[in-house]
Amino acid sequence: MEKRIVFATGNQNKMTEIRMILEDLGMPIYSMNELHIDTDIVEDGISFEENAEIKARAVARLLPHDIVLADDSGLEIDYLDGAPGIYSSRFAGEDTSYDIKNRIFLDKLEGVPEEERTARFVCAIAAVFPDGNVETVRGTIEGQIAHEIAGENGFGYDPIFYVPEYGCTTAEMDPEKKNALSHRGNALRAMRKIIEEKYKKDEVEDESV
Ligand code: ITT
């Protein structure tokens, strides 16, 4: 049976970034929406890794023959003791626009000097394989909270996430550039390697039977 990757996310922006990196594997990639899977997942873990695993396991129960992946990610602002962290999408309410959420953080950091505006995006990706194995990886990107909203690309907190080395926010980068540097890009490349290794090994074992 052809191996498929199913990504347990309802976030279309994540899917675009995921496809750019995982398409090299040569396996078909589906989002759970494309397979009409609509399951209520309670993300009650206390870390990005735990929540990624909760999402992947919930969908893997419905699709036991597929490689099911999930991403849990967010923004950690050091000046706010790591907030919003695992609550990044729930911060100020799921239905509040990111324009408003971003302005709230700019206000909270008003007058805070450069060296105290450090922040990072974190992305944990969990994979549940048809043999029951579970793997988790983490990627990060370091930056700062900008002084104003800038850029139209990306999603979520990208317009306030400034990367000093590049002199712009992740919302001002083209998608390829963001993926080359980002927390999700790094985590996806690590997971792509795990999947490649695993199926290379399985093929060798299959051939020796
Ligand atoms: P799924 O759970 O369905 O995957 P979600 O959007 O709810 O989608 P998370 O629970 O992982 O995803 O929340 C991640 C939030 O963190 C996301 O909604 C953004 O607000 C923020 N975030 C994560 N990665 C980001 C990125 O690359 N750029 C900007 N904001 C990001």
Side-chain angles (χ1 to χ4, degrees), residues 9-11 14 17 43 55 71-74 88-89 98 121 155-158 178 183-184:
T9 180
N11 182 324
K14 284 185 183 177
E17 296 184 1
E43 293 177 35
K55 293 187 228 185
D71 161 310
D72 197 63
S73 45
S88 291
S89 72
Y98 274 91
F121 276 131
F155 65 101
Y157 298 107
D158 280 324
K178 180 184 168 192
H183 53 316
R184 183 164 301 100

Side-chain angles (χ1 to χ4, degrees), residues 2-3 17 47 50 55 58 60 63 66 94 112 122 135 149 162 167 184-185 197 203:
E2 189 183 32
K3 291 185 186 76
E17 296 184 1
S47 65
E50 270 187 38
K55 293 187 228 185
L63 298 173
D66 293 313
E94 296 260 5
V112 174
V122 179
E135 297 276 357
I149 286 172
Y162 181 78
R184 183 164 301 100
E197 294 289 317
E203 269 165 32

Side-chain angles (χ1 to χ4, degrees), residues 12-200:
Q12 283 316 307
N13 298 295
K14 284 185 183 177
M15 272 320 286
T16 308
E17 296 184 1
I18 288 161
R19 283 211 158 88
M20 282 172 66
I21 292 180
L22 293 188
E23 68 188 4
D24 286 7
L25 284 167
M27 297 179 192
I29 305 168
Y30 298 93
S31 70
M32 59 187 210
N33 296 358
E34 287 163 347
L35 299 181
H36 307 289
I37 291 171
D38 184 15
T39 170
D40 231 2
I41 303 171
V42 183
E43 293 177 35
D44 56 2
I46 56 161
S47 65
F48 292 108
E49 282 79 1
E50 270 187 38
N51 280 336
E53 196 172 324
I54 287 169
K55 293 187 228 185
R57 282 189 189 278
V59 172
R61 271 194 284 278
L62 306 172
L63 298 173
H65 304 297
D66 293 313
I67 305 166
V68 180
L69 270 56
D71 161 310
D72 197 63
S73 45
L75 175 66
E76 290 181 346
I77 303 177
D78 294 327
Y79 185 77
L80 303 176
D81 296 325
I86 60 168
Y87 302 104
S88 291
S89 72
R90 289 165 273 180
F91 173 77
E94 296 260 5
D95 296 331
T96 303
S97 75
Y98 274 91
D99 195 46
I100 293 175
K101 294 188 200 213
N102 283 331
R103 285 177 203 284
I104 293 175
F105 285 117
L106 291 184
D107 286 349
K108 283 182 188 286
L109 268 74
E110 177 142 22
V112 174
E114 232 55 66
E115 62 274 16
E116 291 179 49
R117 303 180 75 90
T118 51
R120 71 201 53 74
F121 276 131
V122 179
C123 174
I125 295 183
V128 179
F129 292 94
D131 63 7
N133 261 13
V134 178
E135 297 276 357
T136 310
V137 294
R138 168 181 280 228
T140 58
I141 175 174
E142 298 290 328
Q144 292 176 1
I145 300 304
H147 291 275
E148 54 193 38
I149 286 172
E152 306 279 325
N153 297 336
F155 65 101
Y157 298 107
D158 280 324
I160 61 165
F161 189 80
Y162 181 78
V163 186
E165 293 89 321
Y166 291 88
C168 65
T169 68
T170 40
E172 292 176 290
M173 291 177 183
D174 61 42
E176 288 76 19
K177 184 88 211 163
K178 180 184 168 192
N179 252 356
L181 306 172
S182 77
H183 53 316
R184 183 164 301 100
N186 292 333
L188 284 166
R189 280 184 286 273
M191 186 53 82
R192 185 175 65 191
K193 199 160 167 227
I194 289 173
I195 296 172
E196 273 166 357
E197 294 289 317
K198 180 168 174 65
Y199 286 103
K200 220 181 345 177

